[in-house]
Amino acid sequence: MKKLGKVAGATLPFFALVLFMCVLVADDDDDSGSSSNFGAIGISQEVEARRPMVQKYCDKYKISEYCDLALALMMAESGGREPDPMQAAEGAYGLYCLVTKNKSGGHVQGPNGIPTGHAECSINAGVQELRDALKKADVDSPTDIDHIKVAIQGYNYGMDRWIAWIKKHGGIYTLALSEQYSRECMPAGAKGTPNHAEKVMRYYSTSTGDSSAEVGTLEGNCGLKVVYYNQGDAAWWKLPYGTGTIKSGGCGPTSMAICISTLTGKKVNPRQTCAWSEKHGYCQGNATMHAIVPALSKEYHLKCKAVKKNKKQVINALKTGKLVVALMGPGHFTNNGHFIVLTGIKDGKITVADCGSRKRTQQTWSLDLIASEAKSDASAGGPFWIISK
């Protein structure tokens, strides 16, 4: 059994919670959970309800990080509706039935050729089609948007011929090239949808691979580009985390998502780190064990050095392009407990990525103030942890 450590972000008594929320609203009206205009259009509840099953098959076919892309594809294809939410009946995998475990389950290779009630068959087939498209289009990450568009258009046209053709024409999707391909290469009566890639991308955030998510980039030391997530983002703020939500208690996993995305180059968002925290027992109530910092660092092959309140080591780390996770106590950052990330030094003061406040993130802070308000009783070697590659 995991030994329980101390937690941050714990639920407050009701009267204190009301006061706390009032302070948040007064200080952080920019963190209400609404996304800015560079987020994607949100997917429907019907599509979102299929996320666990889509993730299951993305995991099975080794494209785990493309679940949000698969959901965006489903949204554009059908809005998540039966009988064929991925519109996969006409593809290479459409005849296989999970119910009968063979190709004799009543599937037909034609429009809506997957019977009602067999939505899982559609998802199984569609995710395999997406996997093949991503591979053939040479997509290397969920943020490789140019190649993702090629792959998604291939899902509509049929992959091999389209991808071979587009590679001979520069390898990058444009609507004009797609329309040319439709005119010249697709058969009469089956011209496809030339703007299919654009339709899918309406539901897929080019920044994070998460529908409606808003991401920022902050400047760290040594040219470090720090990925910024906010736990109040519309893409995940209402999602359950323990007994509350990511917005109310997910500061620890969100801060680690900032570190992981910045230092590994992988876009790992708060939805993923919060899910990992719950799965592995680091979420207690609506709070997070302090040991989440070394645990998630290890999970993503990052180095984590706990330095208690050693300000000299914090300064040296920031000067060399490393990040420092700080667990704050009551004061300027929180009324209770709150994780933030120290990102660099500017004009003698500390820059931060505070996942609970864009306003505080835009300010610089005295290290003496940060150290004085950091939790002295932090466990797992805190309240400061140096994170590096």
Side-chain angles (χ1 to χ4, degrees):
M1 179 179 292
K2 187 187 298 294
K3 183 178 179 181
L4 299 184
K6 295 179 180 178
V7 298
T11 303
L12 300 173
F14 178 75
F15 70 89
L17 180 60
V18 172
L19 175 60
F20 180 54
M21 289 304 295
C22 289
V23 172
L24 279 180
V25 171
D27 287 347
D28 302 318
D29 54 3
D30 58 338
D31 295 336
S32 61
S34 60
S35 182
S36 77
N37 59 8
F38 59 82
I41 299 172
I43 58 177
S44 68
Q45 291 183 351
E46 196 166 4
V47 170
E48 182 62 40
R50 298 194 187 276
R51 177 181 291 276
M53 187 177 292
V54 173
Q55 186 67 65
K56 169 186 171 181
Y57 285 101
C58 285
D59 291 345
K60 178 177 180 179
Y61 297 118
K62 302 188 186 308
I63 56 169
S64 299
E65 64 270 39
Y66 295 95
C67 178
D68 286 290
L69 179 61
L71 291 170
L73 178 60
M74 181 189 292
M75 184 68 193
E77 291 282 354
S78 72
R81 292 181 292 276
E82 294 273 3
D84 185 4
M86 294 294 285
Q87 294 295 293
E90 298 175 74
Y93 305 96
L95 288 178
Y96 184 79
C97 179
L98 293 170
V99 178
T100 62
K101 300 189 184 306
N102 56 40
K103 294 183 179 180
S104 301
H107 294 208
V108 177
Q109 279 196 310
N112 292 322
I114 293 178
T116 298
H118 289 213
E120 187 170 357
C121 298
S122 174
I123 292 169
N124 175 56
V127 170
Q128 290 181 82
E129 292 278 359
L130 178 60
R131 174 203 60 194
D132 293 352
L134 294 170
K135 182 177 180 180
K136 291 177 180 179
D138 300 321
V139 176
D140 62 19
S141 77
T143 57
D144 183 8
I145 301 305
D146 286 337
H147 290 106
I148 283 175
K149 287 181 179 179
V150 171
I152 292 300
Q153 193 60 48
Y155 191 96
N156 179 257
Y157 282 151
M159 281 171 280
D160 292 339
R161 192 175 178 188
W162 154 253
I163 290 176
W165 185 91
I166 196 68
K167 285 182 177 180
K168 292 179 180 178
H169 291 76
I172 302 298
Y173 168 92
T174 68
L175 181 57
L177 282 173
S178 185
E179 289 173 339
Q180 180 184 344
Y181 178 85
S182 177
R183 287 193 308 270
E184 297 177 0
C185 303
M186 294 293 285
K191 292 293 186 180
T193 306
N195 65 339
H196 181 68
E198 295 180 357
K199 288 184 176 182
V200 173
M201 297 312 293
R202 292 174 62 210
Y203 304 104
Y204 184 71
S205 167
T206 60
S207 301
T208 66
D210 201 312
S211 298
S212 302
E214 178 179 332
V215 69
T217 303
L218 309 174
E219 296 291 335
N221 283 86
C222 302
L224 187 66
K225 301 295 184 182
V226 180
V227 176
Y228 175 75
Y229 296 118
N230 190 284
Q231 67 194 90
D233 194 287
W236 44 68
W237 75 280
K238 290 183 179 180
L239 294 179
Y241 181 61
T243 57
T245 64
I246 290 179
K247 182 177 182 180
S248 64
C251 58
T254 303
S255 293
M256 287 307 299
I258 290 171
C259 294
I260 294 162
S261 296
T262 299
L263 296 173
T264 68
K266 299 177 181 178
K267 292 300 182 286
V268 177
N269 63 45
R271 184 204 304 273
Q272 294 166 283
T273 50
C274 283
W276 189 94
S277 174
E278 288 191 295
K279 180 179 179 180
H280 292 86
Y282 289 93
C283 177
Q284 304 293 324
N286 187 216
T288 305
M289 294 170 59
H290 303 172
I292 190 72
V293 179
L296 270 171
S297 297
K298 181 178 180 181
E299 175 70 13
Y300 285 92
H301 308 291
L302 293 173
K303 297 176 183 177
C304 176
K305 182 180 180 181
V307 296
K308 296 188 180 294
K309 283 197 176 186
N310 190 316
K311 292 188 286 185
K312 182 177 180 180
Q313 290 196 56
V314 168
I315 290 293
N316 289 339
L318 294 176
K319 284 182 176 179
T320 55
K322 298 174 183 177
L323 297 175
V324 179
V325 175
L327 177 60
M328 305 306 296
H332 289 74
F333 293 90
T334 180
N335 284 0
N336 189 29
H338 181 54
F339 287 98
I340 64 173
V341 182
L342 313 186
T343 60
I345 303 171
K346 181 179 180 181
D347 299 328
K349 290 192 173 183
I350 305 300
T351 56
V352 305
D354 182 344
C355 63
S357 172
R358 295 178 181 87
K359 183 181 293 184
R360 291 193 294 267
T361 296
Q362 292 169 356
Q363 299 173 263
T364 56
W365 301 85
S366 159
L367 180 57
D368 288 338
L369 181 145
I370 291 173
S372 69
E373 294 185 359
K375 275 186 170 286
S376 298
D377 62 347
S379 62
F384 295 141
W385 296 267
I386 297 170
I387 313 296
S388 61
K389 295 180 183 180

